[in-house]
Amino acid sequence: MTEKLLSSESIWDSVLHGSGGPKFAALLRARTSEFMSGAAAVVYSGSDPTAFGGAAHWRGLEERASERILQLLPRELPLAHGYIDGALDLKDTLKTNLRRLSPREFEGLLHPIFQQDEEQGE
């Protein structure tokens, strides 16, 4: 179950292509802007980076950087899936927590799953 549902690959696929994809893209753009502004403050000794190229030019740089990151993520993420899966340790965490459930709690956890299967089979 964890190999398919709770893996880095499936989580990232959901983040990038699921219903929250646009929210993730907006968050990435905001964080990229913050990062670039911080880096520019260091490079330009605290000066406003828009003073050197104009606000429109600076916004364009931020947008191009964000779009490039979004473009590269699907290609580069597979290199990190093994590390992410190991760091999250979802399989052992799930196994440990499921073993802590009483039989009644475990049944309560499974009931909605079986109910959904029955409804789809009708």
Side-chain angles (χ1 to χ4, degrees), residues 94-114:
L94 183 62
K95 187 185 335 178
T96 299
N97 289 332
L98 286 175
R99 286 183 177 157
R100 290 182 183 157
L101 295 176
S102 70
R104 179 180 217 116
E105 290 170 324
F106 187 72
E107 181 182 336
L109 176 72
L110 294 179
H111 182 71
I113 298 168
F114 288 118

Side-chain angles (χ1 to χ4, degrees), residues 65-78:
S66 297
E67 290 307 314
R68 185 69 172 143
I69 293 167
L70 288 168
Q71 179 187 33
L72 290 174
L73 267 174
R75 187 178 82 203
E76 301 300 326
L77 277 170

Side-chain angles (χ1 to χ4, degrees), residues 29-74:
R29 285 182 183 93
R31 296 295 185 252
T32 300
S33 176
E34 290 172 14
F35 174 78
M36 288 180 66
S37 293
V42 172
V43 171
Y44 296 116
S45 302
S47 298
D48 180 6
T50 62
F52 299 101
H57 176 73
W58 186 254
R59 279 193 305 277
L61 288 174
E62 291 175 341
E63 185 60 30
R64 283 195 304 277
S66 297
E67 290 307 314
R68 185 69 172 143
I69 293 167
L70 288 168
Q71 179 187 33
L72 290 174
L73 267 174

